[in-house]
Amino acid sequence: MGVAATRSDTPTPARSSQSSPAEEAWVLLRSLLFAERRRFFDAAAEFELHPAQAGALMQLDEESGLPMHAIASHLACDNSNVTGIVDRLEARGLVTRRTSERDRRVKHIVPTSLGIEVRDSLRERMARAPAGIERLSAKDQRLLRDVLARAVRGPRAGRLES
C-alpha cells in the first residue's frame, strides 16, 4: 500500500482493494511518528547528544537508575552498544555507574544532578503534543486519545465496528 500526498503534504493512505482501515490508520500513524523523530533529534542536538544517548538518559530515574541490560532493552540494541553510550554520557557528567547491591557484577546507570536537568528538559520537550494533534478540535483529541488507549490495551479492549 502506498501513501499519496495531498496539497498540504499530509500523507494519506493510498486506498486499494487490499487495504483495510487498520492498515490505512497504521500508515498515517507511522507518518506522524516518523515526522516526530525529527523533533526528538533536534531536542537531543540541543544538548549536544546523539539520539541514542538522549534516549538512554530519558529512561533513567533518580533513585535506582537502570542496569545496562535494561537500557539496551529500552533502546532495542545490543548490550555492547550501551557501554559506549554510557561512557559518553559519563564523560559529559550526565550519569554515573553504581554497583548493584544485589550483584556486584551489575552496574546501574544513575543520572547526576546535571543529567536529571537535561533528562527533564528532554522529557518536557517531547511531552508536548505534535502540532498536527494540537490542531484537532478538543473533541477529536479526546476521540484520538480514547481510540489509541484501546489499541494499546490490546484485545481486552474489545473490537470497534467501522
Side-chain angles (χ1 to χ4, degrees), residues 21-136:
E23 291 168 334
E24 293 168 10
W26 181 232
V27 167
L28 292 169
L29 188 55
R30 281 193 341 253
S31 296
L32 177 64
L33 294 173
F34 188 77
E36 287 306 300
R37 285 182 56 197
R38 173 52 47 203
R39 187 166 58 129
F40 178 71
F41 292 165
D42 290 346
E46 182 179 313
F47 295 98
E48 298 178 4
L49 294 172
H50 183 278
Q53 295 168 337
L57 189 59
M58 287 179 66
Q59 301 301 319
L60 302 176
D61 67 29
E62 293 90 9
E63 301 298 321
S64 60
L66 283 175
M68 302 269 274
H69 66 85
I71 295 171
S73 178
H74 283 293
L75 296 178
C77 70
D78 191 77
N79 290 358
S80 62
N81 293 335
V82 174
T83 301
I85 292 168
V86 170
D87 286 348
R88 289 184 285 284
L89 288 171
E90 192 173 38
R92 295 268 313 272
L94 299 173
V95 301
T96 187
R97 287 173 165 94
R98 187 181 298 160
T99 302
S100 170
E101 294 174 7
R102 293 186 186 132
D103 185 345
R104 294 175 44 174
R105 297 169 296 175
V106 175
K107 301 292 185 213
H108 285 249
I109 309 308
V110 180
T112 62
S113 57
L114 176 60
I116 291 168
E117 287 179 37
V118 171
R119 181 210 57 200
D120 290 350
S121 293
L122 287 166
R123 284 181 177 176
E124 180 181 315
R125 187 155 172 194
M126 296 314 300
R128 294 184 204 131
I133 293 175
E134 288 288 342
R135 285 192 300 267
L136 296 174

